[in-house]
Amino acid sequence: MRDLLADLNDRQREAVTAPLGPVLVLAGAGSGKTRVLTYRIAYLLEQKIFAPPEILALTFTNKAAGEMRGRIEKLFTPSPNPSHQGRESTKKKIPPPFVGEGRWGVTMGTFHSVCARILRHEIAGLKRGYDRNFVIYDQDDSQRLLKQILLELGMAERFRPNVVAYYISAAKNRLLEPHQLALQNSFLEETVQTAYQEYQRRLQSQNAVDFDDLLGLTCELLAQVPTVLRKYQDRFRYVLVDEYQDTNHAQYVFLRLLVKKHKNLFVVGDDAQSIYGFRGANLQNILDFRKDYRKARVIMLEQNYRSTQNILDTAAQVLKLNTFQYEKRLWTKNEAGQKVRLYEAADETDEGGFVLSVILNPPLAEKGSRFFGLRPQNDNRVEELVYETEETPILNQFFKLHSRRRSSSLPIYGSMNRQATDLGETVILYRTHAQSRPLEELLLSSGVPYQIVGGIKFYERQEIKDVLAYLRLLLNPRDLVSLARVINLPARGIGEANFRYLVQGLQKFQFNFGRLGRNLAELKLQPKALEGARNFFRLYAGAGKIPKQENLLGVMKFFLARSGYQEAIRDGSPEGENRWENIEELFNVAARYKRLPWAAGLRAFLEEAALMTDLDDLEEESNKLTLMTLHSAKGLEFENVFLVGLEEGLLPHSRSLLSPQELAEEIRLAYVGMTRAKRNLYLSYALQRQTFGEWKRAVPSRIIKAIPKRLIEKIPPHPSLSLQGRGIEGEGDFTL
């Protein structure tokens, strides 16, 4: 292995070689925090300070864990026998392999995936009736269950399942049981408490956990079962955490329990990038690190390797709007670079047109030259203009798409060159998903290839969730949410009343599908439902006869064919074939587990599907423009960044304006977006925006006003673009 320390700057080297004990690395944006984490692991292994199985690295996304794993592969290749990697003087026994660990025994994964693996081994110790075949409910599954509970409570018309789910999730992140909720005589709070209690009872009875339970139950397990706690304290003698500022209370408690014995906790984070308060992330965890771990060493990483100095200075000025944060000044050896470009758009369509013009013709935008527009006619219609370029069809498409808008003038921008910008290195960032609509319209009309992060994810597609539900029942017959989803897919004549009778029968026969199938005649089922239920349960009754060494893919194909679901999907329509293609892609995922016995492969497969994140669907190697929310962008970097919609009420969001804590997080969100840019940063806002079908006046964000003029180059709008004829006559002019 090459000299690790030669690749590091002084501060990075200090972090990588730090003594054992608690260490906080405050790593500014683009300062190499992932490098420090991976080099720290390699250093511990190279110096034989710890054996590979004794190291645990925790992240927040599968993507981050994969990146860390890939970097270590390039740095360190231990000998085939992991026992030779430990402390030779002690010759202690190396712990047995941990499910999901890396090829060398180092365990890397998200908090939720690691907790899920611990629970697979130890959940019986909670004495709550769970077994290792528990299923993990995603957001949709949880809300289906809550909807049923609210219906039974007579509250379905007053409270939506997603609202109640939000409050339950917030309670779980704080490790609060239903009886611990503080009630303020609010009907909503009382409903949440009642629904929460019944929700947990049903999860337990169905051998199911939700996403938050993975953390909460693991904390409960470690706190209440001393033998399990000691086992994992001795197993993971050194713990590393990425993005520590994003930890919630449950994750904080989990770490405190895990490292209490050996005190070896190495965390990397940046308080300036704390943007997930709405998910329960607690900024105080990183601010109070030195209080929690009094002998902690704190190391600052301030040299930025990503961005130009002008981008860093701009982001720093925005961050000054906040107080109560660690002081740090990012600097770089990179060039000063271009000034940040700022565009004042007449409306959201004009804003999208500006973005498109820069993407397709950056040289013109670099010079600040602009623009070609549409001439308004007296009756607020747009006169058709033919612009003579090689790309006239693109321009005309753009024009025709928007010519019927009420706007009196709409821009068409200079000569467009499709190859002008590396689309794979370009991203459009916005505060809310709703802002993507006008951008998508323009991109579709211009033929620019793009991808949206955070749209309908692969594992959220209806057909994929159907297949997963069929499979979950193979391991866990108590999963009534999955049963309700597929019992009548394809149609078997089983409505709500017949389903209730089936549930009663399942409870009577202790969720044994075979016994229920043989005794269906005892239930009050209609003839058609009786035959449909008999075929369904007969299918699962034979699951016990599947040879253990059968692979998962074979089992999947068998069940989909015999259940009739495959035939129902492939109905000859183009939509049906598209849905089947998605299922075939799922087959490709299942094929990765072909070397495992089918039951073990199925457990791992279902766990992978449940723990996928938005960013795991990002195609980083494709030459596509990326659209995503600011919250999804953290941890990524692009040559060119467009941050759109910088208006009061959008960024910062209107919900944050009455809360100093939430407003501070919105400022940090803008900071995160700006520091994704390597070379080019474009900011834009609109003077008006369409909301709920009405044009409303917009005010430039305080974020823009915080940036000194010396750092900004304003791109002038076309003279014809004004508020006149755009639904807000006489409202005056907006200028900075």
Side-chain angles (χ1 to χ4, degrees), residues 430-483:
Y430 37 75
R431 177 61 177 84
T432 68
H433 284 297
Q435 293 171 256
S436 70
R437 180 196 56 77
L439 296 166
E440 284 192 81
E441 289 180 356
L442 290 178
L443 294 171
L444 286 169
S445 68
S446 63
V448 175
Y450 69 94
Q451 60 176 332
I452 294 182
V453 176
I456 299 178
K457 294 184 287 187
F458 177 77
Y459 286 100
E460 291 178 351
R461 298 181 184 277
Q462 179 181 326
E463 60 273 15
I464 300 302
K465 291 184 70 67
D466 291 345
V467 174
L468 294 177
Y470 266 108
L471 294 175
R472 291 195 319 199
L473 289 171
L474 276 170
L475 290 179
N476 182 22
R478 293 156 58 186
D479 182 2
L480 296 182
V481 170
S482 292
L483 182 64

Side-chain angles (χ1 to χ4, degrees), residues 348-367:
E348 59 200 44
T349 302
D350 180 31
E351 183 179 51
F354 162 69
V355 172
L356 186 64
S357 76
V358 176
I359 290 171
L360 295 178
N361 190 13
L364 281 181
E366 295 288 340
K367 298 174 184 176

Side-chain angles (χ1 to χ4, degrees), residues 116 120 134-138 141 209-211 214 472 607 610:
R120 290 285 180 211
F134 66 84
V135 296
I136 303 171
Y137 281 177
D138 62 15
D141 299 321
V209 301
D210 64 18
F211 206 58
L214 294 173
R472 291 195 319 199
E607 190 172 294

